[in-house]
Structures are given as C-alpha cells and as structure tokens.
Amino acid sequence: MIKINIMKVFTNRLNDRGFILQPFKGYKNPDISVLRRNNDIISVVQQVVIDPTINPTNQIDAFFRNIMHNILQSGSRNIFFEGGGDIPIPDFFLDFCREHYIEIGIITPDEFNNWLNRIE
C-alpha cells in the first residue's frame, strides 16, 4: 500500500473557499503552507520530511520548533496535519498550541469534509 497526500487537496479546497497562499518575509518552507482569508490565517503541513538514517527524535523536535516559529511569524490560529502517520505530536508543541490558542486539526480521509465544513 502507498499513502496518498490529501493535504495538497485540502490546501486546494481552502483556495477554492477564498484562502490565498500567504508568503511572508524571512520564512520559506515548502512543507508548510500558510493561507489567509481576511483575518483568518491557517497553516497546513504538507508533509513531514526527515532523514531516516539520522536520529529521528532530534529532527522531529526541530521540525515542530520550526512550525512554532512559523505560527508566531504568521499569526496562524489553526494548524492542520495529515493523520494516519507514525509521528506523535510532541508534548511541547501541544503545550505551545494551548498557550497560544492554536487549534490543531488532524486530517484523515474520513474527516476531510468535516474539517472543511468547520472552516466555511
């Protein structure tokens, strides 16, 4: 079996609903998209890229710290990840999101439309 990338489709559907890709100075990561519609700012993690030959824990921590930086710079209030993987969300990131009132969405094929309907 192979895994399909539903996050690209999710991002495209957000575009269809008026969200526009929001580049901002000093931050470039093709694996994280920031979209804006008026005052609504959403971050979408397209994929988590780590080198399987190196200690994954350090890379995962660095990836989530990078996302925290992205959220602070962009002002995102929602962040979406694709579900069904094998990487747990670190506690320090969950704590950060609680402290900054960031909603975390886990997108699976079964929940895809439910999340889109919540964003309308």
Side-chain angles (χ1 to χ4, degrees), residues 53-120:
T53 65
I54 300 173
N55 180 343
T57 302
N58 293 339
Q59 292 178 80
I60 292 166
D61 284 357
F63 185 82
F64 279 94
R65 290 192 191 286
N66 187 26
I67 293 172
M68 290 163 55
H69 178 73
N70 169 285
I71 288 171
L72 291 175
Q73 278 195 308
S74 67
S76 292
R77 287 285 163 240
N78 300 82
I79 184 156
F80 293 96
F81 298 92
E82 183 171 0
D86 50 5
I87 298 173
I89 297 175
D91 288 338
F92 71 83
F93 183 78
L94 295 171
D95 293 341
F96 169 85
C97 288
R98 273 191 293 275
E99 290 169 17
H100 290 87
Y101 305 100
I102 310 298
E103 182 176 16
I104 299 172
I106 306 297
I107 308 296
T108 62
D110 292 339
E111 292 294 317
F112 187 91
N113 286 326
N114 291 337
W115 277 109
L116 278 177
N117 291 337
R118 286 180 64 182
I119 294 171
E120 291 202 60

Side-chain angles (χ1 to χ4, degrees), residues 14-58:
L14 290 174
N15 287 139
D16 294 343
R17 292 169 186 235
F19 282 88
I20 299 169
L21 189 60
Q22 179 73 44
F24 52 96
K25 188 175 181 176
Y27 188 82
K28 295 177 183 165
N29 185 339
D31 301 320
I32 303 169
S33 300
V34 177
L35 300 109
R36 177 185 207 119
R37 181 181 67 190
N38 302 319
N39 291 328
D40 295 328
I41 303 170
I42 294 175
S43 293
V44 178
V45 177
Q46 298 294 333
Q47 58 187 345
V48 178
V49 179
I50 62 169
D51 182 342
T53 65
I54 300 173
N55 180 343
T57 302
N58 293 339

